[in-house]
Amino acid sequence: MLIENTIILSHRLLKGGYRLLTLKSKRIAPMVRPGQFVHLRLPSPADAVLRRPFSVFRAQAGRLAILYKTVGKGTQAMATLCAGDEINILGPLGQGFPNVRKDTLPLLVAGGYGMAALYLVAQRAPVKGIVFVGGAGADDILCADDFRRLDWDVRVATEDGSAGKKGLVTRILDAWLNKELHGRQPEFFACGPNGLLKAICKRVGRGGWDGWISMDRHMGCGLGACLACVQKVCKRDAAGRETWAWARVCTEGPVFACRDIVWD
Amino acid sequence: MNKPKPDLSVRIGGLVMQNPVMTASGTFGYGPEFARLMDLNRLGAIVVKGISLKPTQGNPTPRLVEVPGGLLNAIGLQNPGFDGFVRDYLPFLRHYRAPVIVNIWGHTINEYASIAERFNDLPGVHGLELNISCPNIKHGGIAFGTDPKMARRVITAVRARTRLPLITKLSPNVTVIAEFARIAEACGSDAVSLINSFPAMAIDIEARRPILANITGGLTGPAIHTIALKMVWETARAVKIPVIGMGGITSAREALAFIIAGASAVAVGTANFSEPLSTLAVIKGIEAYLVRHRLPSIRALVGTLETGAVIPKPRGPGRPCA
């Protein structure tokens, strides 16, 4: 974990208000593992007292890319940054996804730009798998071609039917699991809205499979000190009874095993 | 010829610190969280997150929201309890030379006194900060810090049970903060630290719901600095014990303002979240200021505010502690 002043190499507007930010990062980029995140210090607004956490999309050869959507004042300020501008980053932070095993079929499930957090999983996997991605419309399906270039099978669902099958991503996933799993051992890697993550954990639990989800929470320091981004996880007390404890999404997460999450 | 470096050391009660810059409780975890990024030995003191007798789960989420110029939090003093702190964090902290100050709190006077006593003769703990001012717990906390009678009772009880230097952390949520500082002084506190966060809230107008699960929280950060500064100035004029100033320090500038207003030491809080190395930058900036102003020591700067007017000191000595 380091603090690094990086230079913006490019900052591209994609469809649907999404942006791709590429940074020159000699020190942090080579350390990033799939599912880890970086904490960005935005030069403005001047009164912002928190950094902003972003999953790493791509990390290679001294470059680090982030895919984001302008949703609040922080990302709006971020959108005005140009190539050549300096940006201070802290990272890599958190526990990422475990390595993909050779003896399983990796299934990546993403909602919207959650797909970005899964790219390194696919890129570094020893076997090819399937990506299920969903979004409100075609504009929310962002990096499908990046996965296809890795020879991964990409299945798309949109709520308005403007790309892929109409409906939620869980619908195409369920159809696939029913018809095409053929007794293979799947392992799930998911990133997206809470509803999707919960739905994946339900299926993983039912099937008795392994699954990993990347969680998104309001984050403060990113270092495990402020205890803002906590999530309930299973724990056994001294008497062996099942209870829960807080885990810090920034430190013990953002990736958790499906079986460990306590859903409220 | 090299000029001698200015002397940054300060003394808080029996506690000697190599420089006046501490961490504010709750913003620096228990130390290990920041140790991978910086050398903790460079700090004046490490003030750890509040500890209670038993482990505490804290509040539901969301616990934190950024607001203009500040941060609103309602963590609810989540902590591993005395045993958890001693088991999981104290062995780590003992590797460092920087003094460790443990922030303590409880729900009752008895709980405050009991936890204070347990830190006696515990190697690696150099002082206690008595938290009578947290706005985010339902019982105890701020109730002790806003009622003079309760403040007197809890400080007296803790003083009777601890041999460690005792710092009382004051709430800004009172009419005259200096009155509480005088109570702390009269009841045997070695220093006062101020201010804790301001009770505040934020609303999601689309959902018509509070943003924090706890509904209200405590406001910290740059937004509160100038209010804290006035309170530190008033307090430093009212007591003889050292005052530790905190609230919205992001650079040496705010730290120096506290010191000029009368603080003997300062604590950096919310700034640790955005710039984990803020404390080190503040230390460096203070040293550079002393060199630039040809001051031999930080102590020569404490309380040197020139107002150009004769301002009557706050009313006479506080009532004896009873």
Side-chain angles (χ1 to χ4, degrees):
Chain A
M1 183 212 301
L2 297 167
I3 297 175
E4 184 179 17
N5 279 322
T6 64
I7 304 287
I8 297 177
L9 293 170
S10 69
H11 197 183
R12 275 174 40 213
L13 178 64
L14 311 175
K15 57 188 180 178
Y18 293 94
R19 281 183 165 80
L20 177 66
L21 178 69
T22 307
L23 306 170
K24 185 176 174 184
S25 160
K26 280 194 178 153
R27 299 171 69 207
I28 292 176
M31 297 162 69
V32 175
R33 290 175 41 82
Q36 286 191 304
F37 69 96
V38 288
H39 222 11
L40 270 65
R41 180 89 176 107
L42 302 178
S44 67
D47 64 359
V49 295
L50 293 178
R51 287 175 178 254
R52 297 292 190 275
F54 294 94
S55 290
V56 175
F57 171 35
R58 281 191 291 236
Q60 60 195 17
R63 287 170 173 231
L64 191 146
I66 288 157
L67 200 75
Y68 72 98
K69 188 174 189 172
T70 46
V71 287
K73 64 173 184 172
T75 42
Q76 273 157 16
M78 201 166 142
T80 64
L81 295 172
C82 302
D85 286 350
E86 200 170 89
I87 192 159
N88 180 276
I89 70 174
L90 166 64
L93 297 174
Q95 305 297 321
F97 289 103
N99 292 330
V100 172
R101 304 204 314 258
K102 275 186 184 162
D103 57 344
T104 60
L105 175 65
L107 301 181
L108 312 189
V109 189
Y113 63 105
M115 209 170 172
L118 298 173
Y119 179 75
L120 287 178
V121 176
Q123 194 196 37
R124 298 184 188 179
V127 290
K128 308 291 177 198
I130 306 170
V131 187
F132 296 91
V133 58
D139 281 358
D140 298 300
I141 310 300
L142 289 161
C143 37
D145 287 341
D146 294 273
F147 286 86
R148 289 193 185 106
R149 274 194 286 274
L150 297 172
D151 290 327
W152 280 56
D153 182 0
V154 181
R155 313 282 177 106
V156 177
T158 53
E159 286 169 55
D160 65 2
S162 55
K165 287 263 185 336
K166 190 171 190 299
L168 296 173
V169 66
T170 42
R171 196 165 148 196
I172 56 168
L173 173 67
D174 287 340
W176 187 91
L177 287 171
N178 284 331
K179 288 184 192 153
E180 299 182 54
L181 184 59
H182 302 310
R184 285 173 290 179
Q185 184 68 28
E187 185 174 15
F188 289 79
F189 301 81
C191 184
N194 247 3
L196 172 64
L197 300 182
K198 197 171 174 178
I200 296 303
C201 288
K202 210 165 125 188
R203 285 158 179 77
V204 164
R206 233 169 23 207
W209 301 313
D210 282 333
W212 313 91
I213 56 171
S214 174
M215 305 204 87
D216 191 5
R217 284 284 179 281
H218 281 298
M219 207 170 270
C221 64
L223 297 169
C226 73
L227 307 183
C229 63
V230 293
Q231 164 65 40
K232 282 184 185 174
V233 294
C234 303
K235 189 193 158 189
R236 290 197 180 275
D237 66 12
R241 283 178 302 242
E242 235 174 57
T243 174
W244 64 272
W246 290 118
R248 299 164 293 184
V249 170
C250 68
T251 305
E252 284 82 40
V255 174
F256 292 94
C258 287
R259 71 179 82 88
D260 288 344
I261 298 293
V262 176
W263 297 98
D264 279 324
Chain B
M1 196 179 80
N2 277 343
K3 284 184 186 156
K5 279 194 160 192
D7 178 8
L8 291 185
S9 69
V10 295
R11 181 184 282 270
I12 302 290
L15 193 70
V16 178
M17 309 194 317
Q18 62 180 339
N19 68 59
V21 180
M22 312 158 73
T23 59
S25 178
T27 66
F28 206 72
Y30 300 99
E33 298 87 345
F34 285 75
R36 285 203 283 165
L37 291 170
M38 63 186 278
D39 179 7
L40 303 184
N41 276 330
R42 290 169 65 187
L43 294 168
I46 303 165
V47 184
V48 301
K49 185 163 172 59
I51 298 287
S52 49
L53 269 179
K54 300 280 175 222
T56 301
Q57 296 282 26
N59 290 325
T61 58
R63 292 173 161 188
L64 191 74
V65 56
E66 189 184 73
V67 295
L71 196 62
L72 200 51
N73 88 83
I75 307 296
L77 293 173
Q78 181 187 333
N79 80 90
F82 176 85
D83 291 336
F85 170 72
V86 171
R87 181 189 63 229
D88 298 339
Y89 296 107
L90 195 53
F92 168 87
L93 288 165
R94 283 184 186 133
H95 292 299
Y96 293 90
R97 290 186 309 276
V100 171
I101 296 170
V102 178
N103 180 288
I104 56 165
W105 66 278
H107 293 104
T108 63
I109 288 177
N110 203 25
E111 275 183 30
Y112 271 103
S114 300
I115 188 160
E117 184 166 36
R118 295 191 71 177
F119 283 102
N120 284 332
D121 308 317
L122 200 58
V125 175
H126 305 92
L128 295 181
E129 183 178 57
L130 184 60
N131 184 358
I132 56 168
S133 44
C134 180
N136 293 329
I137 51 169
K138 295 276 182 288
H139 307 286
I142 203 165
F144 290 100
T146 54
D147 177 341
K149 277 192 199 122
M150 295 281 277
R152 205 170 264 124
R153 284 174 60 195
V154 72
I155 299 165
T156 304
V158 168
R159 176 74 285 172
R161 303 277 278 277
T162 182
R163 289 189 289 277
L164 289 168
L166 180 63
I167 301 162
T168 301
K169 186 163 183 176
L170 302 178
S171 168
N173 197 34
V174 295
T175 311
V176 184
I177 198 165
E179 187 185 331
F180 286 82
R182 279 199 297 260
I183 289 169
E185 180 176 46
C187 298
S189 214
D190 296 296
V192 285
S193 56
L194 61 150
I195 53 179
N196 207 318
S197 59
F198 282 92
M201 72 187 292
I203 291 175
D204 176 343
I205 57 165
E206 297 303 325
R208 299 190 204 171
R209 292 184 63 84
I211 294 177
L212 296 176
N214 192 54
I215 305 173
T216 63
L219 180 66
T220 63
I224 71 167
H225 171 66
T226 50
I227 314 176
L229 191 57
K230 175 189 177 263
M231 290 183 161
V232 163
W233 177 66
E234 286 174 347
T235 300
R237 288 157 45 83
V239 294
K240 291 195 173 67
I241 54 175
V243 172
I244 300 163
M246 63 190 78
I249 295 179
T250 57
S251 67
R253 181 184 294 270
E254 295 81 24
L256 288 160
F258 277 130
I259 291 164
I260 292 165
S264 299
V266 294
V268 179
T270 304
N272 290 314
F273 294 164
S274 55
E275 295 294 348
L277 309 184
S278 292
T279 43
L280 304 185
V282 171
I283 295 166
K284 210 172 151 189
I286 290 174
E287 185 167 357
Y289 177 92
L290 294 181
V291 170
R292 191 152 48 85
H293 287 263
R294 299 201 170 99
L295 289 161
S297 73
I298 189 70
R299 295 182 301 284
L301 185 67
V302 173
T304 53
L305 183 73
E306 293 282 350
T307 56
V310 182
I311 301 166
K313 282 239 174 189
R315 62 190 162 78
R319 287 195 313 177
C321 188

